[in-house]
Amino acid sequence: MRITGTRPHRAEQKGRDMKSLWKRALTTGTAGIALVGGVGLATASPAAAAEPNVLQCSTWIEGNVAYGQCYNPGTQLHAFSVRAICGWAPDAYSNWVYATPGNTHSIGVGCGPLSTGVGGVAIEYGG
């Protein structure tokens, strides 16, 4: 036997209202996230967009030391680090070095004593 009245109808209506409310919230939230993302892109530094990382780098290995040298032909300060890819030991990383505009800077880093030696060199940009 089904009881008819206003209570089941209200519950069904409330369920529909909640679904509608969630749909609106999700749609509004998505639009808000898209708006925030767009604002972030619009306020990015014009100088950073105008000059990407322009370092001109070279690498070499001498003995158990990995070296990196970078020239900065740009107009902004750029940072780089050298990564020594070591054999049976963890890779080694140099400190971050800042290459000023118009100058060259080099740095080296060696592998640990349990390593089989430097197997490669990588330059990492940005720090």
Side-chain angles (χ1 to χ4, degrees):
M1 170 180 187
R2 181 165 184 207
I3 300 174
T4 59
T6 57
R7 290 190 94 148
H9 178 67
R10 284 185 188 164
E12 290 173 8
Q13 183 63 34
K14 186 176 181 180
R16 283 190 221 118
D17 289 344
M18 290 302 290
K19 286 181 185 177
S20 176
L21 180 65
W22 278 109
K23 285 180 184 178
R24 279 186 272 153
L26 290 173
T27 304
T28 306
T30 304
I33 290 170
L35 179 63
V36 170
V39 171
L41 293 174
T43 59
S45 169
E51 181 177 291
N53 194 351
V54 294
L55 292 176
Q56 298 171 354
C57 301
S58 60
T59 61
W60 68 95
I61 299 169
E62 283 184 22
N64 197 32
V65 179
Y67 290 95
Q69 180 177 21
C70 293
Y71 169 68
N72 182 357
T75 59
Q76 297 177 348
L77 187 68
H78 290 285
F80 71 95
S81 174
V82 174
R83 175 182 171 200
I85 301 167
C86 301
W88 290 90
D91 293 350
Y93 298 85
S94 73
N95 292 329
W96 286 99
V97 177
Y98 294 94
T100 56
N103 291 315
T104 301
H105 203 304
S106 61
I107 190 166
V109 63
C111 291
L114 300 177
S115 170
T116 56
V118 178
V121 184
I123 299 286
E124 297 189 1
Y125 301 99

